[in-house]
Short mmCIF file of all heavy atoms in Angstrom, two decimals:
data_model
loop_
_atom_site.label_atom_id
_atom_site.label_comp_id
_atom_site.label_asym_id
_atom_site.label_seq_id
_atom_site.Cartn_x
_atom_site.Cartn_y
_atom_site.Cartn_z
N LEU A 157 471.99 217.62 151.19
CA LEU A 157 472.43 217.78 149.82
C LEU A 157 471.46 218.70 149.11
O LEU A 157 470.34 218.29 148.79
CB LEU A 157 472.53 216.44 149.09
CG LEU A 157 473.12 216.48 147.68
CD1 LEU A 157 474.58 216.91 147.72
CD2 LEU A 157 472.98 215.14 146.99
N GLN A 158 471.87 219.95 148.92
CA GLN A 158 471.06 220.92 148.21
C GLN A 158 471.33 220.78 146.72
O GLN A 158 472.46 220.98 146.27
CB GLN A 158 471.38 222.33 148.67
CG GLN A 158 470.57 223.42 147.97
CD GLN A 158 469.11 223.38 148.34
OE1 GLN A 158 468.75 223.34 149.52
NE2 GLN A 158 468.25 223.36 147.33
N MET A 159 470.30 220.42 145.97
CA MET A 159 470.42 220.19 144.55
C MET A 159 469.64 221.26 143.81
O MET A 159 468.43 221.41 144.02
CB MET A 159 469.91 218.79 144.18
CG MET A 159 470.55 217.67 144.98
SD MET A 159 470.02 216.02 144.45
CE MET A 159 468.28 216.10 144.91
N THR A 160 470.32 221.98 142.94
CA THR A 160 469.70 223.03 142.13
C THR A 160 469.98 222.76 140.67
O THR A 160 470.82 221.94 140.31
CB THR A 160 470.22 224.42 142.52
OG1 THR A 160 471.63 224.51 142.26
CG2 THR A 160 469.96 224.71 143.99
N SER A 161 469.25 223.48 139.82
CA SER A 161 469.40 223.32 138.36
C SER A 161 469.35 221.86 137.96
O SER A 161 470.17 221.38 137.17
CB SER A 161 470.70 223.98 137.88
OG SER A 161 470.72 225.35 138.20
N LEU A 162 468.38 221.15 138.49
CA LEU A 162 468.31 219.71 138.28
C LEU A 162 468.04 219.38 136.82
O LEU A 162 467.30 220.09 136.13
CB LEU A 162 467.25 219.10 139.18
CG LEU A 162 467.68 218.93 140.63
CD1 LEU A 162 466.48 218.75 141.54
CD2 LEU A 162 468.63 217.73 140.76
N LYS A 163 468.64 218.30 136.40
CA LYS A 163 468.53 217.81 135.03
C LYS A 163 467.94 216.41 135.03
O LYS A 163 468.04 215.69 136.03
CB LYS A 163 469.92 217.76 134.37
CG LYS A 163 470.68 219.07 134.39
CD LYS A 163 472.08 218.89 133.83
CE LYS A 163 472.85 220.19 133.85
NZ LYS A 163 474.23 220.01 133.32
N PRO A 164 467.32 216.00 133.92
CA PRO A 164 466.81 214.62 133.86
C PRO A 164 467.88 213.58 134.16
O PRO A 164 467.55 212.52 134.72
CB PRO A 164 466.31 214.51 132.42
CG PRO A 164 465.92 215.91 132.06
CD PRO A 164 466.93 216.79 132.74
N GLU A 165 469.13 213.86 133.83
CA GLU A 165 470.21 212.93 134.10
C GLU A 165 470.48 212.74 135.58
O GLU A 165 471.19 211.82 135.96
CB GLU A 165 471.51 213.41 133.42
CG GLU A 165 471.36 213.65 131.93
CD GLU A 165 471.01 215.09 131.62
OE1 GLU A 165 469.80 215.41 131.58
OE2 GLU A 165 471.94 215.91 131.42
N ASP A 166 469.93 213.61 136.43
CA ASP A 166 470.06 213.45 137.88
C ASP A 166 469.07 212.45 138.45
O ASP A 166 469.15 212.13 139.64
CB ASP A 166 469.88 214.80 138.58
CG ASP A 166 470.94 215.81 138.20
OD1 ASP A 166 472.12 215.43 138.13
OD2 ASP A 166 470.58 216.98 137.97
N THR A 167 468.14 211.98 137.65
CA THR A 167 467.14 211.03 138.12
C THR A 167 467.81 209.74 138.57
O THR A 167 468.56 209.12 137.81
CB THR A 167 466.12 210.73 137.02
OG1 THR A 167 465.40 211.93 136.70
CG2 THR A 167 465.13 209.67 137.46
N ALA A 168 467.53 209.34 139.80
CA ALA A 168 468.15 208.15 140.37
C ALA A 168 467.60 207.94 141.77
O ALA A 168 466.90 208.80 142.32
CB ALA A 168 469.68 208.30 140.44
N VAL A 169 467.92 206.78 142.33
CA VAL A 169 467.74 206.57 143.76
C VAL A 169 469.02 207.04 144.44
O VAL A 169 470.12 206.62 144.08
CB VAL A 169 467.46 205.11 144.11
CG1 VAL A 169 467.33 204.93 145.62
CG2 VAL A 169 466.18 204.64 143.41
N TYR A 170 468.86 207.92 145.41
CA TYR A 170 470.00 208.48 146.14
C TYR A 170 470.10 207.81 147.50
O TYR A 170 469.14 207.77 148.27
CB TYR A 170 469.83 209.99 146.32
CG TYR A 170 470.09 210.78 145.07
CD1 TYR A 170 469.23 210.69 143.97
CD2 TYR A 170 471.20 211.62 144.96
CE1 TYR A 170 469.48 211.40 142.82
CE2 TYR A 170 471.45 212.33 143.81
CZ TYR A 170 470.59 212.22 142.74
OH TYR A 170 470.83 212.94 141.58
N TYR A 171 471.28 207.28 147.80
CA TYR A 171 471.55 206.59 149.05
C TYR A 171 472.59 207.36 149.83
O TYR A 171 473.68 207.64 149.32
CB TYR A 171 472.08 205.18 148.80
CG TYR A 171 471.12 204.26 148.09
CD1 TYR A 171 471.12 204.15 146.71
CD2 TYR A 171 470.23 203.46 148.82
CE1 TYR A 171 470.24 203.31 146.05
CE2 TYR A 171 469.36 202.60 148.16
CZ TYR A 171 469.37 202.53 146.79
OH TYR A 171 468.52 201.68 146.15
N CYS A 172 472.29 207.68 151.08
CA CYS A 172 473.31 208.30 151.91
C CYS A 172 474.07 207.23 152.69
O CYS A 172 473.59 206.12 152.89
CB CYS A 172 472.71 209.34 152.87
SG CYS A 172 471.79 208.68 154.27
N TYR A 173 475.28 207.59 153.09
CA TYR A 173 476.09 206.68 153.88
C TYR A 173 476.86 207.48 154.92
O TYR A 173 477.09 208.67 154.77
CB TYR A 173 477.06 205.88 153.00
CG TYR A 173 478.27 206.66 152.54
CD1 TYR A 173 479.46 206.62 153.27
CD2 TYR A 173 478.22 207.44 151.39
CE1 TYR A 173 480.57 207.36 152.84
CE2 TYR A 173 479.32 208.17 150.98
CZ TYR A 173 480.50 208.12 151.70
OH TYR A 173 481.58 208.84 151.28
N ARG A 174 477.28 206.78 155.96
CA ARG A 174 478.14 207.34 156.98
C ARG A 174 479.27 206.36 157.26
O ARG A 174 479.03 205.18 157.50
CB ARG A 174 477.37 207.61 158.28
CG ARG A 174 478.22 208.26 159.38
CD ARG A 174 477.42 208.47 160.65
NE ARG A 174 478.20 209.06 161.72
CZ ARG A 174 478.26 210.36 162.00
NH1 ARG A 174 477.54 211.22 161.29
NH2 ARG A 174 479.00 210.80 163.01
N ARG A 175 480.48 206.86 157.22
CA ARG A 175 481.66 206.08 157.54
C ARG A 175 482.26 206.61 158.83
O ARG A 175 482.56 207.80 158.93
CB ARG A 175 482.67 206.15 156.40
CG ARG A 175 483.85 205.20 156.57
CD ARG A 175 484.88 205.41 155.45
NE ARG A 175 484.29 205.23 154.14
CZ ARG A 175 484.18 204.06 153.53
NH1 ARG A 175 484.60 202.95 154.10
NH2 ARG A 175 483.62 204.00 152.32
N GLN A 176 482.40 205.73 159.81
CA GLN A 176 482.97 206.12 161.09
C GLN A 176 483.53 204.89 161.79
O GLN A 176 483.00 203.78 161.64
CB GLN A 176 481.93 206.79 161.99
CG GLN A 176 480.78 205.87 162.38
CD GLN A 176 479.93 206.42 163.50
OE1 GLN A 176 479.47 207.56 163.42
NE2 GLN A 176 479.72 205.61 164.53
N ASP A 177 484.57 205.09 162.56
CA ASP A 177 485.09 204.05 163.44
C ASP A 177 485.28 202.72 162.71
O ASP A 177 485.04 201.65 163.28
CB ASP A 177 484.15 203.87 164.64
CG ASP A 177 484.79 203.08 165.77
OD1 ASP A 177 486.02 203.20 165.96
OD2 ASP A 177 484.07 202.33 166.46
N GLY A 178 485.70 202.77 161.47
CA GLY A 178 485.95 201.57 160.70
C GLY A 178 484.72 200.89 160.14
O GLY A 178 484.83 199.81 159.53
N GLY A 179 483.54 201.47 160.31
CA GLY A 179 482.32 200.90 159.80
C GLY A 179 481.63 201.81 158.81
O GLY A 179 481.90 203.01 158.76
N VAL A 180 480.75 201.22 158.01
CA VAL A 180 479.97 201.97 157.03
C VAL A 180 478.50 201.64 157.24
O VAL A 180 478.12 200.47 157.38
CB VAL A 180 480.38 201.63 155.59
CG1 VAL A 180 479.56 202.44 154.59
CG2 VAL A 180 481.86 201.90 155.39
N TYR A 181 477.66 202.68 157.23
CA TYR A 181 476.23 202.53 157.45
C TYR A 181 475.48 203.22 156.32
O TYR A 181 475.96 204.20 155.75
CB TYR A 181 475.85 203.12 158.81
CG TYR A 181 476.67 202.54 159.93
CD1 TYR A 181 477.86 203.14 160.32
CD2 TYR A 181 476.28 201.36 160.57
CE1 TYR A 181 478.64 202.58 161.32
CE2 TYR A 181 477.05 200.80 161.56
CZ TYR A 181 478.23 201.42 161.94
OH TYR A 181 479.00 200.86 162.93
N TRP A 182 474.30 202.71 156.02
CA TRP A 182 473.58 203.13 154.82
C TRP A 182 472.16 203.58 155.13
O TRP A 182 471.48 203.02 156.00
CB TRP A 182 473.51 201.98 153.82
CG TRP A 182 474.86 201.48 153.42
CD1 TRP A 182 475.53 200.42 153.96
CD2 TRP A 182 475.70 202.02 152.41
NE1 TRP A 182 476.75 200.27 153.34
CE2 TRP A 182 476.88 201.23 152.38
CE3 TRP A 182 475.57 203.09 151.52
CZ2 TRP A 182 477.91 201.49 151.49
CZ3 TRP A 182 476.60 203.34 150.64
CH2 TRP A 182 477.76 202.55 150.63
N GLY A 183 471.71 204.60 154.42
CA GLY A 183 470.32 204.99 154.45
C GLY A 183 469.47 204.10 153.58
O GLY A 183 469.97 203.22 152.85
N GLN A 184 468.16 204.31 153.64
CA GLN A 184 467.23 203.44 152.93
C GLN A 184 467.06 203.80 151.47
O GLN A 184 466.49 203.02 150.70
CB GLN A 184 465.85 203.47 153.62
CG GLN A 184 464.98 204.69 153.29
CD GLN A 184 465.29 205.94 154.08
OE1 GLN A 184 466.32 206.03 154.75
NE2 GLN A 184 464.39 206.91 154.02
N GLY A 185 467.54 204.97 151.07
CA GLY A 185 467.41 205.44 149.71
C GLY A 185 466.18 206.31 149.52
O GLY A 185 465.14 206.11 150.16
N THR A 186 466.29 207.29 148.64
CA THR A 186 465.16 208.14 148.31
C THR A 186 465.19 208.43 146.82
O THR A 186 466.24 208.67 146.23
CB THR A 186 465.18 209.45 149.14
OG1 THR A 186 463.99 210.19 148.90
CG2 THR A 186 466.40 210.30 148.80
#
């Protein structure tokens, strides 16, 4: 995820996920 022109409103914990084969998996957050 390339993020440019970042704004204070973008401040957050970002969590990635992967959906495959009927399941959902999660990253640890950054």
Side-chain angles (χ1 to χ4, degrees):
L157 186 65
Q158 180 68 51
M159 306 184 294
T160 63
S161 301
L162 282 162
K163 304 175 180 180
E165 306 92 270
D166 297 317
T167 296
V169 178
Y170 285 68
Y171 297 91
C172 74
Y173 77 94
R174 182 181 179 96
R175 188 185 302 274
Q176 64 167 52
D177 195 33
V180 181
Y181 306 91
W182 302 96
Q184 80 278 13
T186 186

